[in-house]
Amino acid sequence: MFDGRFRAEAERTLKPVGAQIKRTGITADHLTLTGIAMAAAAAIAIGNGALRLGLVLLILTALPDVLDGAVAKASGTASPRGAFFDSVADRFTDALLLLGVAWYLSTTQPGRLALLPMAVLGASMLISYERAKAEALGYNAKGGIMERAERLIALGFGLLFNQLLVPILWVMLALTLVTAGQRFVKVWKQASNDVPTRPTIRERTRTRRQTDRRVARSTERQVRRRSQLRPPR
């Protein structure tokens, strides 16, 4: 939802900030690398049970991700290479954060509950793949109830109120799967409109007869023309 409703407005608002950061010599790639470093630090903090510190580092992870696009546009360095790097970095930081949560749950919760963050990670990778594949095919797969920004906000609430962390993870999993379904249906409808309809047997027979008639008429015209041009004996 954030991408569809607020991201463009946020980028316009942050454009002056991006211009100020650009004057310091910091590039969009530097900010992306900083976000990865912050995510690794957050994962370690969360895994060791320092959830409040993990929350602070989570915020520091999200901040460069918001600003790198503004810096790239302000400096005129926005490019497919930068977009690719940013997208890969987003997936990597998601994996680091949820691995940190799994590490924490494996030491504090009984049973196989540590697999829950891994399920959320798998579902989030699915919706990312759906969007990437759809855009490669020329379709639009943006949107959904639980995109990356919503997942990070939900995870932040889980770290702030650690007694709600497990229920929030279940909600994240359910809504992420709903988002995967929403994107699948959206692309399926777009792709279905582009599928040519298969002609019926009657239509194919009619088309073949029409073609045969055109060929016969063309042959007759050629025979008449040749007979008219043939010199008398």
Side-chain angles (χ1 to χ4, degrees), residues 199-214 217:
T200 63
I201 296 176
R202 180 177 298 178
E203 290 172 341
R204 292 199 299 269
T205 302
R206 185 185 305 116
T207 302
R208 187 167 57 249
R209 288 175 178 173
Q210 291 173 350
T211 302
D212 292 342
R213 292 192 191 102
R214 284 195 298 268
R217 285 195 295 267

Side-chain angles (χ1 to χ4, degrees), residues 53-72:
L53 176 59
L55 174 60
V56 174
L57 292 170
L58 173 64
I59 295 171
L60 294 178
T61 299
L63 190 59
D65 184 52
V66 173
L67 291 174
D68 58 2
V71 171

Side-chain angles (χ1 to χ4, degrees), residues 6-75:
F6 306 112
R7 191 173 186 88
E9 183 63 30
E11 288 181 349
R12 283 194 295 270
T13 303
L14 292 172
K15 191 173 181 180
V17 179
Q20 293 293 330
I21 295 175
K22 174 225 170 192
R23 294 192 184 97
T24 67
I26 297 175
T27 66
D29 288 347
H30 293 154
L31 290 173
T32 302
L33 289 170
T34 301
I36 294 174
M38 291 296 102
I44 294 172
I46 295 169
N48 284 283
L51 301 187
R52 299 297 187 279
L53 176 59
L55 174 60
V56 174
L57 292 170
L58 173 64
I59 295 171
L60 294 178
T61 299
L63 190 59
D65 184 52
V66 173
L67 291 174
D68 58 2
V71 171
K73 291 180 180 179
S75 59

